Amino acid sequence: MFARQKLYEGKAKIVYATDDPDVFLTHFKNDATAFNAQKRGQIAGKGEINAAISSHLFQLLEANSIPTHFIDRPTAEDMRVKAVKIIPLEVVVRNIAAGSLCQQTGLELGAVLKQPLVEFYYKNDALGDPLLTRDRLLLLELATPEQLDQLQQMALRINELLSAFFQQCGITLVDFKLEFGLDRNQQILLADEISPDTCRLWDQGETDPDRRVMDKDRFRRDLGDVEGAYRRVLERVLNQPVQPLVQEPVQE
């Protein structure tokens, strides 16, 4: 299946049409950006690494009854995905205080939250991807009330699954960003990617606040060894099998 037309190019990926209108081809780039693209650079091998991690994690989630857009990974830097219309929201799930949550609330870096926090950000670069209240989301008609409820429920379930999986990898899932899309039947599917670009990941074997960082914060904060950290995440992720993480209750 060959790409025919570029549909969209973002900071980290290019989406192409294919000869099947229900299938897109997503190409992962080596480009790195931070602070709403004010900082730019390249991370060697990032496209291939993130495509491999995302493919593995999408398959893991599918095995645990989370519907995603993933089909397969035909080349090292490409994923074939189901065609969806992206809902213009970034759904952020936080387990530990870090980043903007600390800056905006005064919470101490590393403070464990009593329960996961789900936040909705407007996916709009011109506005700086602002944090929105539920009422503002509904005012802008970015999603229906029912869709917001479903997004929150899906995000919390994904958090349970990914937290358990990364725990097996010796990694703490601090927080992460999700994007969702609607297929032709208006079903909500998990889309975009799940990678060190979109997750904060801390090495449980490190106590130093800089050395433990295994994600894009290494690029944001000029900590160095960005590619090495991404590759360590890849190795640990691929060492864990794709399988159901929680047994379904037995029906009597």
Side-chain angles (χ1 to χ4, degrees), residues 191-204:
D192 194 47
E193 66 177 293
I194 306 172
S195 74
D197 268 15
T198 61
C199 303
R200 276 197 175 87
L201 305 169
W202 290 353
D203 188 342
Q204 294 178 357

Side-chain angles (χ1 to χ4, degrees), residues 78-210:
D78 296 323
M79 280 196 327
R80 285 197 316 151
V81 299
K82 299 167 189 172
V84 297
K85 180 181 180 181
I86 293 294
I87 299 170
L89 294 173
E90 295 180 348
V91 184
V92 174
V93 185
R94 302 181 186 274
N95 298 304
I96 295 173
S100 62
L101 183 61
C102 295
Q103 297 162 10
Q104 295 169 0
T105 66
L107 284 171
E108 183 177 355
L109 174 67
V112 178
L113 306 184
K114 292 182 179 179
Q115 59 188 29
L117 174 66
V118 179
E119 298 177 325
F120 295 98
Y121 292 79
Y122 188 10
K123 187 174 167 63
N124 187 313
D125 287 342
L127 297 177
D129 300 331
L131 174 64
L132 293 181
T133 64
R134 182 181 179 92
D135 285 346
R136 286 189 177 189
L137 284 171
L138 297 176
L139 173 69
L140 295 173
E141 298 183 341
L142 300 178
T144 67
E146 295 76 18
Q147 287 172 338
L148 286 180
D149 291 341
Q150 186 176 351
L151 291 175
Q152 177 146 352
Q153 292 166 7
M154 289 179 69
L156 288 171
R157 177 59 177 153
I158 291 166
N159 182 50
E160 290 178 357
L161 295 167
L162 291 182
S163 293
F165 178 83
F166 278 117
Q167 182 72 25
Q168 295 173 355
C169 300
I171 296 172
T172 297
L173 179 60
V174 176
D175 58 36
F176 59 101
K177 173 183 73 71
L178 300 172
E179 294 187 23
F180 296 86
L182 297 170
D183 67 11
R184 62 158 57 192
N185 298 316
Q186 298 302 296
Q187 180 186 13
I188 294 178
L189 304 181
L190 177 64
D192 194 47
E193 66 177 293
I194 306 172
S195 74
D197 268 15
T198 61
C199 303
R200 276 197 175 87
L201 305 169
W202 290 353
D203 188 342
Q204 294 178 357
E206 292 283 358
T207 57
D208 182 272
D210 290 341

